[in-house]
Structures are given as structure tokens and as C-alpha cells.
Amino acid sequence: MSAGGTAQVAEGDRGGEGGLRTALAGLTTRGRSFLAAGLAASVCAYVLGQGDLLRVGLLLAVLPLVCAGMLYRTRYRVAGSRRLSPARVPAASEARVHLRVDNVSRLSTGLLMLQDRVPYVLGPRPRFVLDRVEPGGRREVSYRVRSDLRGRYPLGPLQLRLTDPFGMCELTRSFSAFDTLTVIPRVEPLPTVRLSGEAKGYGDGRQRSLALAGEDDVIPRGYRYGDDLRRVHWRSTARYGELMVRREEQPQRARCTVLLDTRGGAYAGQGPDSAFEWAVSGAASVLVHMLEQGFSVRLLTDTGMSVPGEGADGFAGASQQSADAAGLMMDTLAVIDHSDGAGLSRAYDLLRGGNEGLLVAFFGELDEEQTAVAVRMRQRGGAALAFVLDPEDWSREPSPQQAAAARAADRRRTLRDAGWTVVPVPPGAPFAELWRHADRERAGLATAGGEGRS
């Protein structure tokens, strides 16, 4: 039983005393009541010498036992499967779960009750009543699940309950397989801006890398079948005594690093509307947007974790790997939680000395020490953009402490002086508007810098 529709078969247990005890233990409240009433009537009839009452008592007592025996000896083989549509869904969006039951035996089934186990955060436990399923027949049902909290949630195992026509006995069979629904952060569409100087990952001012028909080699390289003869390098050919060709140039994808601050003490509040959840959703939005714009991206946290972590310097690889890289980063953000770390030094160690391109950071509360670390991050990289979520702004209880607000403003000013484009994030702010605001802020800084150099 899986998202792909793999079926499993539940088969009736027919042998042994354990199966018989299971059948008797499956007597419903109605069956137990009939059995108790029948036994009581039989005892009273024996004491009072009433033959008619004895026959009634025996009928009442035997009926649930006969139903349990028939249900116990019923030969059935039922296959069940589950399919998720989709298996990865954004928070606050619905996914549909399709259940399918196939009767693979030669006998018709009785009344079937289908139940699937789901975590309480996804909604109530779904239950379905299926009427008689003919031999070789199938029944399909579906239900919806929804969660405002990101995470990975198990679905299953699927349970099948069989009951007799009188409702005297009920047996439960469980399938062993289960599926996983991944609830990823909400992704907000972002407008196309020129934060890094280019609206796309490829532009006129881009860097270039060399491409070969085969593996990378020194310039020049030997001629290979299919190479254009116009690329023959005659000087090297005369030097080496064999036909040599020049390598072509191809554009190198611009880079973008998204830094997510996960320190537990840097954010205020909990729940889907908290500052940390906003930061996770913002990071997911930037990652998806930059991949769509043709950038090579990676996700970096304060703990030093880098995703996808493959290819050069941990960035996503070629364009055909962008979808896989996006899925891996979204799966990581679906389960990411607060870290026990107290600083950003591990992230700085990974950023140090590299050509990281555009750096987009989501910071919580920054003290003086962490502000200094963030300043050094900007000095090592190119364009840098910081969304700062101050706990004082996100606290539900208004704080009269003006000194804390002044210190936060001073630290944001320090980041701006170091070259960061700083955007404070108020509660409930649409990220698309802040993204445009960051573009305007950066354009203003670039204009001011150009005027200062002229």
C-alpha cells in the first residue's frame, strides 16, 4: 500500500484456537447483549421449568455464536492500496488520499468497514462503509487531509473491519504498509527584481566557464570526432604534432546562498504565524524563485548544514538537477527546527573565502557579537540581503522597553554600513512587498555608491 498504488492482501485467519478466541473477542455490544440475555433466559427457564422460555434463551445465545463462527470461517482475500495526490503539499493546502479495495477471492465479501490511521493534526480519522464486493470487484474511496504545520506525517496502516449482517461480530484486519505525507513551507510567488545586478541567472555580465565535448582538460586539447574544424588551434597542432582544438566557452550559472538562522533564542512565539515559521517560508520562497530564475542555489543554516551539499561548494548542479535540488531543500525545510547553537560562526566558516554570489539571509535577534559575524559575512561575499525578524516586533505583548528597540536599530544600521541591504520584517508582512522593498533599497545604495565614486 503506497503512493504508487502497490497492493497488499489481507487474508482471513482460519486455523487454531487463537483465531477462534479472536472471533469471540470480536463480539459487538449487540452480540454480547444477545449472548448474556440468552444465557440468563436459559438459566431462568431451567429453574422455573419453562420449555418455551428455554428455546428462546437458546436462540438468543446461539445466534451471536453462529455469526462469530461464520465470520471466522469466511475465506476472503482483500487487497488494499493507497495513493497520495500530491505526496508533497504546502502548509495550509489540501491533499487527497485515494483508497482502493479489491476482492481477489472467488467469494463475495460481506459488509466492510474501512478505516485509515492519520495523525490528529491532519484531521479526523476517516471511516468508510463498503457494501458487498463481488468476486474480482473493487471499491474506491477518497478523503482529504490538511495541516497548517509543516512536517512529515505517516498515513496508515489501513484497517479493514468485517461484520456479519446482524451486527453481532466484528473482526479487524490491518495492512502493514504506510505512506508519508510531506507538508512543506508555504511558498509565496516573488516578483522578478535585479538584486544581484541580473534578473536572470545568466546575463551579459556573467562569468564564463569552459566546456568540452568530453571531460575537462588543459587548453588546448586533442581533436575529437565531431569537433568543428574551425576550432582547430594551428599553433598547438604544430607544437604537439597532432590536431588540437580550442575549448568553447559557456556561461556559468550565477550563485545564490540562502542563510536561515534557526537559533531557538533568536525568535519569539510559536505556531504557524510565528516569526520562525515566517522565516522558513521566506527561505523556501527565495529558493524556489532563484531556481526559476536560473541561479545555482543552496540552503545554509547557522549550524553549518548545507543543502543540497552536492556539486561544487555544495550548490545545486546542472539545470536538470534543479527539480531534485528543490525537492531536497523543501523536504529539509519541512522538518527543520530550532537549533541549540548560540551563534552564526559555523555558517561564516562555510561562507569564508568563497565566491558565494548573492547572499539572502533570514536573521532573528542579533546581539553585538552576532552582528559582528554577519558583518564579516558581507565582507567575504558579493551582494547581501538581510531580512531581520526582531523578537520585540513579533512579541504578542507590547514591550515598553525603548532601549531594546534602539539597540536593534543600531545593529541594523551596522549591517547597512557594512554593505548589507537590511529589511526589518513586521508581523504578517507580505513577503512579495518586502522583496520589492529590498530591490528599491539596494537600488538606492547602488545609486549612492555610484555618486560617491564619481
Side-chain angles (χ1 to χ4, degrees):
M1 201 170 353
S2 65
T6 302
Q8 282 195 335
V9 178
E11 196 167 346
D13 183 7
R14 301 191 57 214
E17 297 180 357
L20 183 58
R21 285 196 298 267
T22 301
L24 294 177
L27 289 176
T28 62
T29 301
R30 178 184 300 177
R32 296 175 186 274
S33 300
F34 268 66
L35 182 60
L39 292 178
S42 299
V43 172
C44 293
Y46 178 78
V47 173
L48 299 176
Q50 298 291 330
D52 294 336
L53 182 59
L54 179 62
R55 286 189 289 271
V56 172
L58 292 177
L59 176 62
L60 293 177
V62 169
L63 180 60
L65 297 178
V66 171
C67 291
M70 292 181 61
L71 192 62
Y72 160 68
R73 294 188 60 84
T74 298
R75 301 186 62 181
Y76 68 93
R77 299 183 73 238
V78 179
S81 63
R82 181 191 299 105
R83 179 171 57 87
L84 305 182
S85 178
R88 183 187 291 119
V89 62
S93 299
E94 289 186 346
R96 183 167 289 275
V97 183
H98 301 269
L99 302 178
R100 172 176 162 178
V101 176
D102 295 86
N103 182 12
V104 296
S105 66
R106 298 180 179 180
L107 300 176
S108 300
T109 67
L111 190 66
L112 301 179
M113 288 184 290
L114 201 62
Q115 176 177 280
D116 206 9
R117 291 186 179 181
V118 300
Y120 71 94
V121 295
L122 297 182
R125 180 171 295 183
R127 294 181 175 89
F128 305 93
V129 177
L130 305 181
D131 204 352
R132 171 183 174 273
V133 182
E134 65 279 3
R138 70 177 61 172
R139 298 291 184 270
E140 294 184 3
V141 294
S142 65
Y143 64 93
R144 294 176 296 179
V145 291
R146 179 181 183 273
S147 174
D148 293 329
L149 300 175
R150 54 187 176 81
R152 293 174 63 87
Y153 301 100
L155 299 179
L158 188 65
Q159 289 184 334
L160 193 64
R161 293 185 178 182
L162 293 91
T163 183
D164 64 280
F166 299 101
M168 298 289 180
C169 185
E170 182 179 278
L171 296 182
T172 302
R173 294 291 182 266
S174 295
F175 297 91
S176 58
F178 65 92
D179 296 300
T180 301
L181 176 68
T182 303
V183 181
I184 63 175
R186 287 171 287 187
V187 176
E188 185 174 347
L190 300 180
T192 302
V193 298
R194 302 180 65 86
L195 292 171
S196 62
E198 297 178 4
K200 297 286 185 179
Y202 303 96
D204 295 335
R206 62 186 178 267
Q207 296 177 332
R208 290 184 174 269
S209 63
L210 297 174
L212 305 179
E215 297 179 352
D216 287 349
D217 199 356
V218 295
I219 297 178
R221 64 168 177 85
Y223 174 83
R224 295 170 186 171
Y225 179 78
D227 287 337
D228 191 348
L229 292 178
R230 290 175 296 181
R231 292 170 48 209
V232 173
H233 193 263
W234 296 109
R235 183 179 300 178
S236 299
T237 298
R239 178 181 178 182
Y240 292 103
E242 60 176 317
L243 201 59
M244 308 292 291
V245 295
R246 296 185 300 270
R247 291 190 293 177
E248 289 181 337
E249 290 184 339
Q250 69 176 8
Q252 181 180 6
R253 303 182 74 188
R255 290 180 171 182
C256 175
T257 298
V258 178
L259 173 60
L260 177 61
D261 181 8
T262 63
R263 294 172 298 139
Y267 298 92
Q270 297 179 349
D273 296 328
S274 63
F276 181 68
E277 293 300 323
W278 193 100
V280 173
S281 178
S285 301
V286 173
L287 290 170
V288 172
H289 177 73
M290 287 303 179
L291 282 173
E292 292 175 349
Q293 296 301 311
F295 282 74
S296 181
V297 302
R298 71 170 172 178
L299 171 66
L300 183 64
T301 67
D302 59 294
T303 62
M305 179 182 64
S306 180
V307 182
E310 298 178 357
D313 299 329
F315 285 85
S319 58
Q320 61 267 23
Q321 298 175 343
S322 296
D324 296 337
L328 180 59
M329 289 184 284
M330 290 300 105
D331 289 344
T332 301
L333 290 176
V335 297
I336 201 167
D337 202 354
H338 291 294
S339 67
D340 297 331
L344 303 171
S345 58
R346 292 184 179 178
Y348 168 70
D349 291 338
L350 288 181
L351 293 171
R352 180 172 52 190
N355 179 20
E356 310 304 330
L358 175 63
L359 175 60
V360 182
F362 293 85
F363 291 128
E365 183 179 17
L366 295 174
D367 55 19
E368 185 175 352
E369 180 182 358
Q370 303 311 315
T371 302
V373 176
V375 167
R376 294 197 298 272
M377 289 181 185
R378 173 61 185 87
Q379 292 174 347
R380 296 286 182 177
L385 171 61
F387 294 94
V388 182
L389 295 85
D390 196 292
E392 293 293 332
D393 298 334
W394 285 79
S395 178
R396 296 184 178 180
E397 298 180 0
S399 174
Q401 298 180 0
Q402 297 182 357
R407 287 194 298 269
D410 291 340
R411 288 159 188 161
R412 290 195 296 266
R413 189 179 304 110
T414 301
L415 292 178
R416 289 191 180 96
D417 294 341
W420 283 87
T421 302
V422 182
V423 179
V425 180
F431 189 35
E433 294 298 326
L434 296 179
W435 189 250
R436 293 191 184 94
H437 178 69
D439 181 40
R440 293 191 294 267
E441 287 284 332
R442 179 160 178 78
L445 289 175
T447 302
E451 293 177 353
R453 289 190 297 271
S454 61

